[in-house]
Amino acid sequence: MTGPLDVRRVMAALPHRYPLLLVDRVERIEIDRSITAIKAVSMNEQFFQGHFPGRPIMPGVLIVEALAQAAGVLAVESLGLADSGKLVYFMAIEGAKFRQPVEPGCLLQLDVEFVQKRASVCKFAGRASVDGKLAAEANFTAMIADPPA
């Protein structure tokens, strides 16, 4: 088990950058098994300007994206893909459920585990929570491939 990993290490694993980098820190990573990461949700996020004025709520699709990015870090670290040029692409999302709103000022905890791990396709189960309360969950599949030409 390793961790924590700071945002520089996260950025080394993921191609995402502001404003779409949704993992700020990795608390713990158990290679080939699971990851716990954090997204610090700030009122300064661009999406809060329109979602929703007067009642800011993090869009559910971005919570799922944050889970997928945490899974990307887990896959890169577990499969030894750092500096390989390979990318982790979303292929499918299943069973996404949203349990409570995620508001500015909270720490969104992202817990993701491998369900199936192969060299080119991996399946994950993810849960996002705030203060120990489940906010969202989803199962998803990702493909490891070369970037587009």
Side-chain angles (χ1 to χ4, degrees):
M1 191 173 322
T2 61
L5 308 180
D6 67 13
V7 73
R8 289 182 298 276
R9 182 84 177 266
V10 170
M11 290 171 65
L14 297 176
H16 305 79
R17 296 297 179 262
Y18 177 83
L20 208 57
L21 180 63
L22 299 175
V23 174
D24 292 316
R25 175 182 178 83
V26 172
E27 292 292 312
R28 152 192 93 64
I29 185 167
E30 193 172 344
I31 299 299
D32 295 328
R33 300 201 71 188
S34 64
I35 189 169
T36 297
I38 300 293
K39 164 64 181 152
V41 182
S42 165
M43 187 58 198
N44 295 328
E45 310 283 353
Q46 288 184 329
F47 50 80
F48 284 136
Q49 292 178 31
H51 199 273
F52 299 100
R55 181 65 169 98
I57 297 172
M58 185 174 184
V61 295
L62 292 181
I63 297 171
V64 174
E65 173 66 21
L67 287 167
Q69 288 182 21
V73 174
L74 176 60
V76 166
E77 294 289 327
S78 295
L79 298 171
L81 299 175
D83 300 321
S84 70
K86 300 276 188 195
L87 295 177
V88 181
Y89 292 99
F90 240 157
M91 288 177 62
I93 304 167
E94 298 168 342
K97 295 181 179 143
F98 305 97
R99 306 293 187 184
Q100 73 173 24
V102 174
E103 300 171 320
C106 72
L107 293 177
L108 184 64
Q109 181 172 312
L110 309 164
D111 292 297
V112 179
E113 61 185 34
F114 275 116
V115 173
Q116 183 178 64
K117 181 173 70 74
R118 296 192 177 141
S120 61
V121 176
C122 299
K123 293 186 178 187
F124 303 93
R127 296 169 57 89
S129 57
V130 176
D131 295 328
K133 295 179 185 161
L134 184 63
E137 60 188 323
N139 297 315
F140 43 94
T141 306
M143 171 178 63
I144 290 90
D146 292 319

